[in-house]
Amino acid sequence: MKVRSHLLAFALGLGLVSGACGDDSPYVPQDAGPDDQTFTTFVIDLVTNHLGDPEPVPHERFKDLPDPDGDNNNVNAFDKLFQ
């Protein structure tokens, strides 16, 4: 019984330690290349792949991205995030 409680404590500690580790890599867009990236793909990638990043993304990284979904009033553009 003592061994079981030690294993449980070890597993819990390991889970807490691994959960406390953050993503040390800077933001790098994953879903689209620089030529075909839009504001929508940028935001979806940011939410799905970099939500835990502590640093905000500088405005310069996305200020010039085209926003065809916003221009067309596409209210379903971010539905992929809520599936």
Side-chain angles (χ1 to χ4, degrees):
M1 190 66 160
K2 212 174 196 183
V3 173
R4 187 179 215 180
S5 63
H6 286 286
L7 286 175
L8 180 61
F10 177 75
L12 182 61
L14 185 61
L16 289 173
V17 169
S18 66
C21 296
D23 182 10
D24 294 333
S25 61
Y27 174 77
V28 178
Q30 302 292 323
D31 293 340
D35 295 334
D36 58 351
Q37 187 174 33
T38 65
F39 181 72
T40 305
T41 60
F42 178 84
V43 171
I44 289 173
D45 177 60
L46 186 67
V47 172
T48 57
N49 298 317
H50 306 282
L51 198 57
D53 290 351
E55 295 295 318
V57 178
H59 183 249
E60 291 77 30
R61 302 270 303 273
F62 60 88
K63 70 177 184 170
D64 296 323
L65 291 175
D67 189 9
D69 293 313
D71 296 339
N72 296 323
N73 198 24
N74 180 1
V75 296
N76 300 317
F78 296 100
D79 281 353
K80 181 178 179 182
L81 293 174
F82 303 103
Q83 294 178 1

